[in-house]
Each structure stands twice: as structure tokens, then as C-alpha cells.
Amino acid sequence: MSIKRETIADTFALITFGIVVGMSVELFVAGLSIEQSLHSRLLSIPVNLLIARPYGIYRDWIMAQARRVVSGSVVDAVMDIVAFLTFQLPVYAVLVGTSGASVDQVITACMGQLGALILMGRPYGIYMQMCRNWFAERTIQTA
């Protein structure tokens, strides 16, 4: 797949995953209104546009390093979690920090995000790969 197609696939995956998962958490766990959640999701789009492809590259690198040692579905699941956690947690910390939070608040917020990032790592990795495959298939059919 071309770099352009991978960029589009990775961006589509992160934005759509973020909308569905983010809205679900905001509406059903955090108790936000639909309007508040839509506003939050709209604000997340520029960040996701910036980090989607770098995350895809980072995840591919993490997976390649692990597969040099051992392969299998369990390793893929663990590496998806490791990649998602180690990439997204610092991004989240920066976002919270730039909102005016104190260092203690940033640390507390990040500790609260750990479980969510661990739970979302593998599903997002599977979804991102599905989007990449879907975009690659579209390339073949139109070529």
C-alpha cells in the first residue's frame, strides 16, 4: 500500500475509532450530554489528524521488533497494547498539561487513563489493520 493510502487509512481509523469509543465513554460513563460529547469529539479531530500516521508508523515498528524475537496472536495483542499505551499516554499527558492542569493533576489523569488505554490497545490495532486492508483493497479494485 502506498504511503498516501496508509496515511488516509490510519487517519480514518483513529478519527472514527475516537468518535465511537470517545462518545461511548463520554455519554455512558462520564455522563456528558450529546452536545458536550460532540464538541469534545470535534476538538479531538485536529489532534488525531496530527498523530494518526505517526502512531501507525510507531505501531508498525513495535510490531516488527517483537516479531523479530517471537510471533503469534498473543504477542500481537500484547504489542498492540504496549504501542497504544506508550504512544497515547504521553500525548494525553501533553493535552491535559496544556489545558492548565498541575503536574499532580496530569499524573492523576494519566493514571486514570491507564486502564482505558490497555483495554483499547488491541481493539484499535485490529481496527486500524482492518481499515488499512480495506483501503488497500479499494486501491486494487480501482487500479
Side-chain angles (χ1 to χ4, degrees), residues 44-125:
S44 74
I45 290 173
V47 173
N48 289 340
L49 285 170
L50 291 174
I51 69 169
R53 185 61 188 138
Y55 174 73
I57 293 167
Y58 177 72
R59 177 189 176 264
D60 291 347
W61 180 80
I62 292 282
M63 292 296 215
Q65 300 310 305
R67 288 177 182 151
R68 289 175 44 197
V69 178
V70 65
S71 63
S73 59
V74 173
V75 173
D76 286 350
V78 170
M79 290 301 101
D80 261 333
I81 293 167
V82 167
F84 202 68
L85 185 62
T86 59
F87 189 93
Q88 297 293 348
L89 195 60
V91 170
Y92 179 73
V94 168
L95 290 173
V96 173
T98 58
S99 72
S102 69
V103 173
D104 286 343
Q105 289 172 318
V106 171
I107 291 169
T108 301
C110 287
M111 296 304 285
Q113 277 294 97
L114 282 174
L117 292 171
I118 289 168
L119 288 175
M120 291 186 298
R122 184 59 177 158
Y124 179 67

